[in-house]
Coordinates of all heavy atoms in Angstrom, one line a residue:
M55 N -8.6 -12.5 14.6 CA -9.2 -12.1 13.3 C -8.8 -13.1 12.2 O -7.8 -13.7 12.1 CB -8.7 -10.7 12.9 CG -9.1 -9.6 13.7 SD -9.7 -8.3 12.6 CE -11.0 -7.7 13.6
K56 N -9.9 -13.3 11.3 CA -9.7 -14.1 10.2 C -9.1 -13.3 9.1 O -9.4 -12.1 9.0 CB -11.0 -14.7 9.8 CG -11.7 -15.6 10.8 CD -13.1 -16.0 10.3 CE -14.0 -15.1 10.8 NZ -15.4 -15.4 10.6
I57 N -8.3 -13.9 8.2 CA -7.7 -13.2 7.1 C -8.2 -13.9 5.8 O -8.2 -15.2 5.8 CB -6.1 -13.3 7.1 CG1 -5.6 -12.9 8.4 CG2 -5.5 -12.7 5.8 CD1 -5.4 -11.4 8.5
F58 N -8.7 -13.1 4.9 CA -9.1 -13.6 3.6 C -8.5 -12.8 2.5 O -8.4 -11.6 2.6 CB -10.7 -13.6 3.5 CG -11.4 -14.5 4.3 CD1 -12.0 -14.2 5.5 CD2 -11.5 -15.9 4.0 CE1 -12.6 -15.1 6.3 CE2 -12.1 -16.8 4.8 CZ -12.8 -16.4 6.0
W59 N -8.1 -13.5 1.4 CA -7.5 -12.8 0.3 C -8.6 -12.7 -0.8 O -9.3 -13.7 -1.1 CB -6.3 -13.6 -0.3 CG -5.1 -13.6 0.5 CD1 -5.0 -14.3 1.7 CD2 -3.9 -12.9 0.3 NE1 -3.7 -14.0 2.2 CE2 -3.1 -13.2 1.4 CE3 -3.5 -12.1 -0.8 CZ2 -1.8 -12.7 1.4 CZ3 -2.2 -11.6 -0.7 CH2 -1.3 -11.9 0.4
T60 N -8.7 -11.5 -1.5 CA -9.5 -11.5 -2.7 C -8.8 -12.2 -3.7 O -7.5 -12.3 -3.7 CB -9.7 -10.0 -3.1 OG1 -8.4 -9.4 -3.4 CG2 -10.4 -9.2 -1.9
P61 N -9.5 -12.6 -4.8 CA -8.9 -13.3 -5.9 C -7.8 -12.3 -6.6 O -6.7 -12.9 -7.0 CB -9.9 -13.5 -6.9 CG -11.2 -13.6 -6.1 CD -10.9 -12.7 -4.9
E62 N -7.9 -11.1 -6.6 CA -7.0 -10.2 -7.2 C -5.7 -10.1 -6.4 O -4.6 -10.1 -7.0 CB -7.7 -8.7 -7.3 CG -8.8 -8.7 -8.2 CD -10.1 -9.2 -7.6 OE1 -10.2 -9.3 -6.4 OE2 -11.1 -9.2 -8.4
A63 N -5.9 -10.1 -5.1 CA -4.8 -10.0 -4.2 C -3.9 -11.3 -4.3 O -2.7 -11.4 -4.3 CB -5.1 -9.8 -2.8
L64 N -4.6 -12.5 -4.4 CA -4.0 -13.7 -4.6 C -3.2 -13.8 -5.9 O -2.0 -14.3 -6.0 CB -5.0 -14.9 -4.6 CG -5.5 -15.4 -3.2 CD1 -6.5 -16.4 -3.4 CD2 -4.3 -15.8 -2.3
E65 N -3.8 -13.1 -7.0 CA -3.0 -13.0 -8.2 C -1.8 -12.2 -8.1 O -0.7 -12.5 -8.7 CB -3.9 -12.4 -9.3 CG -5.0 -13.4 -9.8 CD -6.0 -12.7 -10.7 OE1 -5.6 -11.7 -11.4 OE2 -7.1 -13.3 -10.9
D66 N -1.9 -11.1 -7.3 CA -0.7 -10.3 -7.1 C 0.4 -11.0 -6.4 O 1.6 -11.0 -6.8 CB -1.1 -9.1 -6.1 CG -2.0 -8.1 -6.7 OD1 -2.2 -8.0 -8.0 OD2 -2.7 -7.4 -5.9
R67 N 0.0 -11.8 -5.4 CA 1.1 -12.6 -4.7 C 1.7 -13.7 -5.6 O 3.0 -13.8 -5.5 CB 0.4 -13.2 -3.4 CG 1.4 -13.9 -2.5 CD 0.8 -14.3 -1.2 NE 1.7 -14.8 -0.2 CZ 1.5 -15.2 1.0 NH1 0.2 -15.2 1.4 NH2 2.4 -15.6 1.8
A68 N 0.9 -14.3 -6.3 CA 1.4 -15.3 -7.3 C 2.2 -14.7 -8.3 O 3.4 -15.3 -8.7 CB 0.3 -16.1 -8.0
A69 N 1.9 -13.6 -8.8 CA 2.7 -12.8 -9.8 C 4.1 -12.5 -9.3 O 5.1 -12.6 -9.9 CB 2.0 -11.7 -10.4
I70 N 4.1 -12.0 -8.0 CA 5.3 -11.6 -7.3 C 6.2 -12.8 -7.2 O 7.4 -12.8 -7.5 CB 5.0 -10.9 -6.0 CG1 4.4 -9.5 -6.2 CG2 6.3 -10.8 -5.2 CD1 3.7 -9.0 -5.0
W71 N 5.6 -13.9 -6.6 CA 6.3 -15.2 -6.6 C 7.0 -15.7 -7.8 O 8.2 -16.0 -8.0 CB 5.4 -16.3 -5.9 CG 6.0 -17.6 -5.9 CD1 6.0 -18.5 -6.9 CD2 6.9 -18.1 -4.9 NE1 6.8 -19.6 -6.5 CE2 7.3 -19.4 -5.3 CE3 7.3 -17.6 -3.6 CZ2 8.2 -20.2 -4.4 CZ3 8.1 -18.4 -2.8 CH2 8.4 -19.7 -3.3
N72 N 6.1 -15.7 -8.9 CA 6.6 -16.2 -10.1 C 7.8 -15.3 -10.7 O 8.7 -15.9 -11.2 CB 5.5 -16.3 -11.2 CG 4.5 -17.3 -10.8 OD1 4.8 -18.3 -10.2 ND2 3.2 -17.1 -11.3
Y73 N 7.6 -14.0 -10.6 CA 8.6 -13.1 -11.2 C 10.0 -13.3 -10.4 O 11.0 -13.4 -11.0 CB 8.2 -11.7 -11.1 CG 9.1 -10.7 -11.6 CD1 9.3 -10.5 -12.9 CD2 10.0 -10.0 -10.7 CE1 10.1 -9.6 -13.4 CE2 10.8 -9.0 -11.2 CZ 11.0 -8.8 -12.6 OH 11.9 -7.9 -13.1
I74 N 9.9 -13.3 -9.1 CA 11.2 -13.4 -8.3 C 11.8 -14.7 -8.4 O 13.0 -14.9 -8.5 CB 10.9 -12.9 -6.8 CG1 10.6 -11.4 -6.9 CG2 12.1 -13.2 -6.0 CD1 10.2 -10.8 -5.6
S75 N 10.9 -15.8 -8.4 CA 11.4 -17.2 -8.3 C 12.2 -17.5 -9.5 O 13.0 -18.5 -9.5 CB 10.4 -18.2 -8.0 OG 9.4 -18.3 -9.0
E76 N 11.9 -16.9 -10.7 CA 12.6 -17.2 -11.9 C 14.0 -16.9 -11.8 O 14.8 -17.6 -12.2 CB 12.1 -16.4 -13.0 CG 10.7 -16.8 -13.6 CD 10.2 -16.0 -14.8 OE1 10.9 -15.3 -15.3 OE2 8.9 -16.1 -15.0
E77 N 14.5 -15.9 -11.1 CA 15.8 -15.4 -11.0 C 16.4 -15.9 -9.7 O 17.6 -16.3 -9.7 CB 15.9 -13.9 -11.1 CG 15.6 -13.3 -12.3 CD 16.5 -13.7 -13.5 OE1 17.8 -13.8 -13.2 OE2 16.1 -13.9 -14.6
N78 N 15.6 -16.0 -8.6 CA 16.2 -16.3 -7.3 C 15.1 -17.0 -6.4 O 14.4 -16.4 -5.7 CB 16.7 -15.0 -6.7 CG 17.6 -15.3 -5.4 OD1 17.4 -16.3 -4.7 ND2 18.4 -14.3 -5.1
P79 N 15.0 -18.3 -6.5 CA 14.0 -19.0 -5.7 C 14.1 -18.8 -4.2 O 13.1 -18.6 -3.5 CB 14.2 -20.5 -6.0 CG 15.0 -20.4 -7.4 CD 15.8 -19.2 -7.3
N80 N 15.3 -18.7 -3.7 CA 15.5 -18.4 -2.2 C 15.0 -17.0 -1.9 O 14.4 -16.9 -0.8 CB 16.9 -18.6 -1.8 CG 17.4 -20.0 -1.9 OD1 16.6 -20.9 -1.6 ND2 18.6 -20.3 -2.1
A81 N 15.1 -16.1 -2.7 CA 14.7 -14.7 -2.4 C 13.1 -14.7 -2.5 O 12.5 -14.0 -1.7 CB 15.1 -13.7 -3.4
A82 N 12.5 -15.5 -3.3 CA 11.1 -15.6 -3.4 C 10.5 -16.2 -2.1 O 9.5 -15.8 -1.6 CB 10.6 -16.4 -4.6
I83 N 11.3 -17.2 -1.6 CA 10.8 -17.8 -0.4 C 10.9 -16.9 0.8 O 10.0 -16.7 1.6 CB 11.6 -19.1 -0.1 CG1 11.3 -20.2 -1.1 CG2 11.5 -19.6 1.4 CD1 12.3 -21.4 -1.1
R84 N 12.0 -16.1 0.9 CA 12.1 -15.1 2.0 C 11.1 -14.1 1.9 O 10.6 -13.7 3.0 CB 13.6 -14.6 1.9 CG 14.7 -15.4 2.3 CD 16.0 -14.8 2.5 NE 16.4 -13.9 1.4 CZ 17.2 -14.5 0.3 NH1 17.6 -15.8 0.4 NH2 17.5 -13.7 -0.7
L85 N 10.8 -13.6 0.7 CA 9.8 -12.5 0.5 C 8.4 -13.0 0.9 O 7.7 -12.4 1.6 CB 9.8 -12.0 -0.8 CG 9.0 -10.8 -1.1 CD1 9.3 -9.6 -0.2 CD2 9.0 -10.4 -2.5
D86 N 8.1 -14.2 0.5 CA 6.8 -14.8 0.8 C 6.7 -15.1 2.3 O 5.6 -15.0 2.9 CB 6.5 -16.0 0.0 CG 5.1 -16.4 -0.2 OD1 4.3 -15.5 -0.7 OD2 4.6 -17.4 0.5
T87 N 7.8 -15.5 2.9 CA 7.7 -15.6 4.4 C 7.5 -14.3 5.1 O 6.7 -14.3 6.0 CB 9.1 -16.2 4.9 OG1 9.2 -17.4 4.3 CG2 9.2 -16.4 6.4
L88 N 8.0 -13.1 4.6 CA 7.8 -11.9 5.1 C 6.2 -11.5 5.0 O 5.6 -11.1 5.9 CB 8.5 -10.8 4.4 CG 10.0 -10.7 4.8 CD1 10.7 -9.6 4.0 CD2 10.2 -10.4 6.3
F89 N 5.7 -11.9 3.9 CA 4.3 -11.7 3.6 C 3.4 -12.4 4.7 O 2.5 -11.9 5.3 CB 3.8 -12.0 2.3 CG 4.4 -11.2 1.1 CD1 4.5 -11.7 -0.1 CD2 5.0 -9.9 1.4 CE1 5.1 -10.9 -1.1 CE2 5.5 -9.1 0.4 CZ 5.6 -9.6 -0.9
S90 N 3.8 -13.7 4.9 CA 3.1 -14.5 5.8 C 3.1 -14.0 7.2 O 2.2 -14.0 8.1 CB 3.5 -16.0 5.8 OG 3.3 -16.5 4.5
R91 N 4.4 -13.5 7.7 CA 4.5 -13.0 9.0 C 3.7 -11.7 9.1 O 3.1 -11.4 10.2 CB 6.0 -12.7 9.2 CG 6.7 -13.8 9.4 CD 8.3 -13.6 9.8 NE 9.0 -14.8 9.9 CZ 10.3 -14.9 9.7 NH1 11.0 -13.8 9.3 NH2 10.8 -16.1 9.8
A92 N 3.7 -10.9 8.1 CA 2.8 -9.6 8.2 C 1.4 -10.1 8.4 O 0.6 -9.4 9.1 CB 2.9 -8.9 6.9
L93 N 0.9 -11.2 7.8 CA -0.5 -11.6 7.9 C -0.8 -12.0 9.4 O -1.7 -11.9 9.9 CB -0.8 -12.7 7.1 CG -0.8 -12.3 5.5 CD1 -1.0 -13.6 4.6 CD2 -2.0 -11.3 5.2
E94 N 0.3 -12.7 10.0 CA 0.1 -13.1 11.3 C 0.0 -11.9 12.3 O -0.9 -11.8 13.2 CB 1.4 -13.9 11.8 CG 1.5 -15.3 11.1 CD 2.8 -15.9 11.5 OE1 3.5 -15.5 12.4 OE2 3.1 -17.0 10.8
K95 N 0.8 -10.8 12.0 CA 0.6 -9.6 12.8 C -0.8 -9.0 12.6 O -1.4 -8.5 13.6 CB 1.7 -8.6 12.4 CG 3.1 -9.0 12.8 CD 4.1 -7.9 12.4 CE 5.5 -8.4 12.7 NZ 6.5 -7.5 12.2
L96 N -1.2 -9.0 11.4 CA -2.6 -8.4 11.0 C -3.6 -9.1 11.8 O -4.6 -8.5 12.2 CB -2.8 -8.4 9.6 CG -2.2 -7.3 8.8 CD1 -2.6 -7.4 7.3 CD2 -2.7 -5.9 9.3
S97 N -3.6 -10.4 11.9 CA -4.6 -11.3 12.6 C -4.6 -10.9 14.1 O -5.7 -11.0 14.6 CB -4.4 -12.8 12.3 OG -3.3 -13.2 13.1
E98 N -3.6 -10.5 14.6 CA -3.6 -10.1 16.0 C -3.7 -8.6 16.2 O -4.3 -8.2 17.2 CB -2.2 -10.5 16.6 CG -2.0 -12.0 16.6 CD -0.6 -12.5 17.1 OE1 0.1 -11.6 17.7 OE2 -0.2 -13.7 16.9
H99 N -3.2 -7.8 15.3 CA -3.3 -6.4 15.4 C -3.7 -5.7 14.1 O -2.9 -5.1 13.4 CB -2.0 -5.8 15.9 CG -1.5 -6.5 17.1 ND1 -2.0 -6.1 18.4 CD2 -0.4 -7.3 17.3 CE1 -1.3 -6.8 19.3 NE2 -0.4 -7.6 18.7
P100 N -5.0 -5.8 13.8 CA -5.4 -5.3 12.4 C -5.2 -3.9 12.1 O -5.1 -3.4 11.1 CB -6.9 -5.8 12.4 CG -7.3 -5.9 13.7 CD -6.1 -6.4 14.5
Q101 N -5.1 -3.1 13.2 CA -5.0 -1.6 13.0 C -3.5 -1.2 12.8 O -3.1 0.0 12.7 CB -5.5 -0.9 14.2 CG -7.0 -1.1 14.4 CD -7.9 -0.4 13.5 OE1 -7.5 0.6 12.9 NE2 -9.1 -1.0 13.2
I102 N -2.6 -2.2 12.8 CA -1.2 -1.9 12.7 C -0.7 -1.1 11.4 O 0.1 -0.3 11.5 CB -0.3 -3.2 12.8 CG1 1.1 -2.9 13.1 CG2 -0.5 -4.0 11.6 CD1 1.9 -4.1 13.5
G103 N -1.5 -1.2 10.4 CA -1.2 -0.5 9.1 C -1.6 0.8 9.2 O -2.5 1.2 10.0
R104 N -1.1 1.8 8.4 CA -1.5 3.1 8.3 C -2.8 3.3 7.5 O -3.1 2.4 6.8 CB -0.3 4.0 7.7 CG -0.1 3.6 6.2 CD 1.0 4.4 5.6 NE 1.1 4.1 4.2 CZ 2.3 4.0 3.6 NH1 3.3 4.3 4.2 NH2 2.2 3.8 2.2
Q105 N -3.4 4.4 7.7 CA -4.6 4.7 6.8 C -4.2 4.5 5.3 O -3.2 5.1 4.9 CB -5.1 6.1 7.1 CG -5.7 6.3 8.5 CD -7.1 5.5 8.5 OE1 -7.7 5.2 7.6 NE2 -7.5 5.2 9.8
G106 N -5.1 3.9 4.5 CA -4.8 3.7 3.1 C -5.1 4.9 2.3 O -5.8 5.8 2.7
L107 N -4.7 4.9 1.1 CA -5.0 5.9 0.1 C -6.4 5.9 -0.3 O -6.9 6.9 -0.8 CB -4.1 5.9 -1.1 CG -2.6 6.1 -0.8 CD1 -1.7 5.8 -2.0 CD2 -2.3 7.5 -0.2
I108 N -7.1 4.7 -0.3 CA -8.5 4.6 -0.6 C -9.2 4.5 0.7 O -8.9 3.8 1.7 CB -8.7 3.3 -1.4 CG1 -8.1 3.3 -2.7 CG2 -10.2 3.0 -1.6 CD1 -8.1 2.0 -3.5
T109 N -10.3 5.4 0.8 CA -11.0 5.4 2.1 C -11.5 4.1 2.5 O -12.0 3.3 1.8 CB -12.4 6.4 1.8 OG1 -11.9 7.7 1.4 CG2 -13.1 6.5 3.1
G110 N -11.4 3.8 3.8 CA -11.8 2.6 4.4 C -10.7 1.5 4.4 O -10.9 0.4 4.9
T111 N -9.6 1.7 3.7 CA -8.6 0.8 3.6 C -7.4 1.2 4.5 O -7.3 2.2 5.0 CB -7.9 0.6 2.2 OG1 -7.3 1.8 1.8 CG2 -9.1 0.3 1.2
R112 N -6.5 0.2 4.8 CA -5.3 0.4 5.5 C -4.2 -0.3 4.8 O -4.4 -1.1 3.8 CB -5.4 -0.3 6.9 CG -6.5 0.3 7.7 CD -6.5 -0.1 9.2 NE -5.4 0.5 10.0 CZ -5.5 1.7 10.4 NH1 -6.5 2.6 10.2 NH2 -4.5 2.3 11.1
E113 N -2.9 0.1 5.0 CA -1.8 -0.4 4.3 C -0.6 -0.7 5.2 O -0.3 0.0 6.1 CB -1.3 0.7 3.2 CG -2.3 1.1 2.2 CD -1.9 2.1 1.3 OE1 -0.7 2.6 1.3 OE2 -2.7 2.5 0.4
L114 N -0.1 -1.9 4.9 CA 1.1 -2.4 5.7 C 2.2 -2.5 4.7 O 2.0 -3.1 3.7 CB 0.7 -3.7 6.4 CG 1.7 -4.2 7.4 CD1 1.9 -3.4 8.6 CD2 1.3 -5.6 7.9
I115 N 3.4 -2.3 5.2 CA 4.6 -2.4 4.3 C 5.4 -3.6 4.9 O 6.2 -3.4 5.8 CB 5.5 -1.1 4.3 CG1 4.6 0.1 3.9 CG2 6.6 -1.3 3.4 CD1 4.0 0.1 2.5
P116 N 5.2 -4.8 4.4 CA 5.9 -6.0 4.9 C 7.3 -6.1 4.4 O 8.1 -6.7 5.1 CB 5.1 -7.2 4.4 CG 4.4 -6.7 3.2 CD 4.2 -5.2 3.4
H117 N 7.6 -5.3 3.4 CA 9.0 -5.2 2.9 C 9.1 -3.8 2.2 O 8.0 -3.3 1.8 CB 9.2 -6.3 1.8 CG 10.5 -6.3 1.2 ND1 10.8 -5.5 0.1 CD2 11.7 -6.9 1.4 CE1 12.1 -5.6 -0.3 NE2 12.7 -6.6 0.5
K118 N 10.2 -3.3 2.2 CA 10.3 -1.9 1.7 C 9.8 -1.6 0.3 O 9.4 -0.5 -0.1 CB 11.8 -1.3 1.8 CG 12.7 -2.1 0.9 CD 14.1 -1.6 1.0 CE 15.1 -2.3 0.0 NZ 16.4 -1.8 0.0
N119 N 9.7 -2.7 -0.5 CA 9.2 -2.6 -1.9 C 7.8 -3.0 -2.1 O 7.4 -2.9 -3.2 CB 10.2 -3.4 -2.8 CG 11.6 -2.9 -2.8 OD1 11.9 -1.7 -2.8 ND2 12.5 -3.8 -3.0
F120 N 7.1 -3.4 -1.1 CA 5.8 -3.9 -1.3 C 4.8 -3.3 -0.3 O 5.0 -3.2 0.9 CB 5.7 -5.4 -1.2 CG 6.4 -6.1 -2.4 CD1 7.8 -6.4 -2.3 CD2 5.8 -6.2 -3.6 CE1 8.4 -7.0 -3.3 CE2 6.4 -6.8 -4.7 CZ 7.8 -7.1 -4.6
R121 N 3.6 -3.1 -0.8 CA 2.5 -2.5 0.0 C 1.4 -3.5 0.0 O 0.9 -4.1 -1.1 CB 2.0 -1.3 -0.7 CG 0.7 -0.6 -0.1 CD 0.3 0.6 -0.9 NE 1.5 1.5 -0.9 CZ 1.7 2.4 -1.9 NH1 0.9 2.6 -2.9 NH2 2.8 3.2 -1.9
L122 N 0.9 -3.9 1.2 CA -0.2 -4.8 1.4 C -1.5 -3.9 1.8 O -1.4 -3.3 2.8 CB 0.1 -5.7 2.5 CG -0.9 -6.8 2.9 CD1 -0.9 -7.9 1.7 CD2 -0.5 -7.5 4.2
V123 N -2.4 -4.0 0.9 CA -3.6 -3.1 1.1 C -4.8 -4.0 1.6 O -5.1 -5.0 1.1 CB -4.1 -2.5 -0.3 CG1 -5.3 -1.5 0.0 CG2 -2.9 -1.7 -0.9
Y124 N -5.3 -3.6 2.7 CA -6.4 -4.4 3.3 C -7.5 -3.5 3.9 O -7.4 -2.3 4.0 CB -5.8 -5.3 4.4 CG -5.2 -4.6 5.6 CD1 -6.0 -4.5 6.7 CD2 -4.0 -4.1 5.6 CE1 -5.5 -3.9 7.9 CE2 -3.4 -3.5 6.7 CZ -4.2 -3.4 7.8 OH -3.7 -2.8 8.9
E125 N -8.6 -4.1 4.2 CA -9.7 -3.5 4.9 C -10.2 -4.4 6.0 O -10.1 -5.6 6.0 CB -10.9 -3.1 4.0 CG -11.6 -4.2 3.4 CD -12.7 -3.7 2.4 OE1 -12.8 -2.5 2.2 OE2 -13.4 -4.6 1.9
I126 N -10.8 -3.8 7.0 CA -11.2 -4.6 8.2 C -12.7 -4.6 8.1 O -13.4 -3.5 8.0 CB -10.8 -4.0 9.5 CG1 -9.2 -3.9 9.5 CG2 -11.2 -4.7 10.7 CD1 -8.6 -3.0 10.6
D127 N -13.3 -5.7 8.3 CA -14.8 -5.8 8.3 C -15.2 -6.7 9.5 O -15.1 -7.9 9.4 CB -15.3 -6.5 7.0 CG -16.8 -6.6 7.0 OD1 -17.5 -5.7 7.6 OD2 -17.3 -7.4 6.2
H128 N -15.6 -6.1 10.5 CA -15.9 -6.7 11.9 C -14.8 -7.6 12.4 O -13.7 -7.1 12.7 CB -17.2 -7.6 11.7 CG -18.3 -6.7 11.3 ND1 -18.9 -5.8 12.1 CD2 -19.0 -6.6 10.1 CE1 -20.0 -5.2 11.5 NE2 -20.0 -5.6 10.2
D129 N -14.9 -8.9 12.2 CA -13.8 -9.8 12.7 C -13.0 -10.4 11.6 O -12.3 -11.5 11.7 CB -14.4 -10.9 13.6 CG -15.2 -11.8 12.8 OD1 -15.7 -11.5 11.7 OD2 -15.5 -13.0 13.4
T130 N -13.0 -9.7 10.4 CA -12.2 -10.2 9.2 C -11.4 -9.1 8.6 O -11.7 -8.0 8.6 CB -13.3 -10.7 8.2 OG1 -14.2 -11.6 8.8 CG2 -12.6 -11.3 7.0
V131 N -10.2 -9.6 8.2 CA -9.3 -8.6 7.5 C -9.3 -9.2 6.0 O -9.0 -10.4 5.7 CB -7.9 -8.7 8.0 CG1 -6.9 -8.0 7.1 CG2 -7.8 -8.2 9.4
W132 N -9.6 -8.4 5.1 CA -9.6 -8.6 3.7 C -8.5 -8.1 3.0 O -8.3 -6.8 3.0 CB -11.0 -8.1 3.0 CG -12.2 -8.9 3.3 CD1 -13.1 -8.5 4.4 CD2 -12.7 -10.0 2.8 NE1 -14.1 -9.5 4.4 CE2 -13.8 -10.4 3.4 CE3 -12.2 -10.8 1.6 CZ2 -14.5 -11.6 3.1 CZ3 -12.9 -12.0 1.3 CH2 -14.1 -12.3 2.0
I133 N -7.7 -9.0 2.5 CA -6.4 -8.5 1.7 C -7.0 -8.1 0.3 O -7.5 -9.0 -0.4 CB -5.4 -9.6 1.6 CG1 -5.0 -10.1 3.1 CG2 -4.1 -9.0 0.9 CD1 -4.5 -9.0 4.0
L134 N -6.7 -6.9 -0.1 CA -7.3 -6.4 -1.3 C -6.3 -6.4 -2.5 O -6.6 -6.5 -3.7 CB -7.9 -5.0 -1.2 CG -8.9 -4.8 -0.1 CD1 -9.2 -3.3 0.1 CD2 -10.1 -5.7 -0.4
A135 N -5.1 -6.1 -2.1 CA -3.9 -6.0 -3.1 C -2.6 -6.2 -2.4 O -2.4 -5.8 -1.2 CB -4.0 -4.6 -3.8
L136 N -1.6 -6.6 -3.2 CA -0.3 -6.6 -2.8 C 0.6 -6.1 -4.0 O 0.7 -6.7 -5.0 CB 0.2 -8.1 -2.5 CG 1.7 -8.3 -2.0 CD1 1.9 -7.6 -0.7 CD2 1.8 -9.8 -1.8
V137 N 1.0 -4.9 -3.8 CA 1.6 -4.2 -5.0 C 3.0 -3.6 -4.6 O 3.3 -3.3 -3.5 CB 0.7 -3.0 -5.4 CG1 -0.6 -3.6 -5.9 CG2 0.4 -2.0 -4.3
H138 N 3.8 -3.6 -5.7 CA 5.1 -3.0 -5.6 C 5.0 -1.5 -5.3 O 4.0 -0.9 -6.0 CB 6.0 -3.3 -6.8 CG 7.4 -3.0 -6.7 ND1 8.0 -1.8 -6.8 CD2 8.4 -3.8 -6.3 CE1 9.2 -1.8 -6.5 NE2 9.5 -3.1 -6.3
V139 N 5.7 -0.9 -4.5 CA 5.6 0.5 -4.1 C 5.8 1.4 -5.3 O 5.3 2.5 -5.3 CB 6.5 1.0 -3.0 CG1 5.9 0.2 -1.7 CG2 7.9 0.7 -3.2
S140 N 6.5 0.9 -6.4 CA 6.7 1.8 -7.6 C 5.5 1.8 -8.5 O 5.4 2.7 -9.3 CB 7.9 1.3 -8.3 OG 7.6 0.1 -8.9
R141 N 4.6 1.0 -8.3 CA 3.4 0.9 -9.1 C 2.4 1.9 -8.6 O 2.3 2.3 -7.4 CB 2.7 -0.4 -9.1 CG 3.6 -1.5 -9.9 CD 2.9 -2.8 -9.8 NE 1.5 -2.8 -10.3 CZ 0.6 -3.7 -10.0 NH1 0.9 -4.9 -9.3 NH2 -0.7 -3.7 -10.3
M142 N 1.7 2.5 -9.5 CA 0.7 3.5 -9.2 C -0.5 2.8 -8.4 O -1.1 1.8 -8.8 CB 0.1 4.2 -10.5 CG -0.9 5.2 -10.2 SD -1.4 6.1 -11.6 CE -2.9 5.2 -12.0
W143 N -0.7 3.4 -7.2 CA -1.7 2.9 -6.3 C -2.5 4.0 -5.7 O -1.8 4.9 -5.2 CB -1.2 2.0 -5.2 CG -2.3 1.4 -4.5 CD1 -2.7 1.9 -3.2 CD2 -3.3 0.4 -4.7 NE1 -3.7 1.2 -2.7 CE2 -4.1 0.3 -3.7 CE3 -3.5 -0.3 -5.9 CZ2 -5.2 -0.6 -3.7 CZ3 -4.5 -1.2 -5.9 CH2 -5.4 -1.3 -4.8
P144 N -3.8 4.2 -5.8 CA -4.6 3.2 -6.3 C -4.6 3.2 -7.9 O -4.1 4.3 -8.4 CB -6.0 3.6 -5.8 CG -5.8 5.0 -5.3 CD -4.4 5.2 -5.0
P145 N -5.0 2.2 -8.5 CA -5.0 2.1 -9.9 C -5.8 3.1 -10.6 O -6.8 3.6 -10.1 CB -5.3 0.7 -10.3 CG -6.0 0.2 -9.0 CD -5.6 1.0 -8.0

């Protein structure tokens, strides 16, 4: 399966990177690596995430503090959001 990020989800990932890397660059690298590994799993097994809170979406927890929200469209996985679990989702 192909993986595509929406612009909003890319902004989420960049914001997480920027916030964490200010205090601990190594932690930012480790967390971003977890996100990348989750994407590898999704490309092979897109149904791995649980049913999402928004109809038609699925959610994967690549780290205990983050939720990766996505939808499957034929042979493509669209990453819709990457949010901290403490944030209200859906917005």
Side-chain angles (χ1 to χ4, degrees):
M55 288 227 143
K56 296 176 270 186
I57 305 279
F58 289 103
W59 290 75
T60 62
E62 297 82 7
L64 284 173
E65 288 176 19
D66 293 342
R67 190 173 186 176
I70 293 165
W71 173 270
N72 291 335
Y73 180 79
I74 294 174
S75 66
E76 285 181 17
E77 294 293 322
N78 190 337
N80 289 329
I83 291 168
R84 287 191 304 271
L85 186 59
D86 202 64
T87 299
L88 285 177
F89 296 156
S90 293
R91 287 183 183 153
L93 294 173
E94 289 173 14
K95 289 179 185 177
L96 279 178
S97 70
E98 296 174 13
H99 307 285
Q101 299 289 335
I102 196 170
R104 66 181 183 213
Q105 291 289 338
L107 297 174
I108 297 174
T109 303
T111 66
R112 301 189 73 77
E113 299 178 3
L114 185 65
I115 308 295
H117 180 275
K118 66 180 182 174
N119 293 327
F120 292 95
R121 173 182 304 153
L122 184 68
V123 182
Y124 66 99
E125 65 183 3
I126 303 166
D127 182 25
H128 303 287
D129 65 342
T130 304
V131 173
W132 286 94
I133 308 301
L134 305 175
L136 181 59
V137 294
H138 195 278
V139 294
S140 68
R141 288 181 52 200
M142 187 174 88
W143 180 260

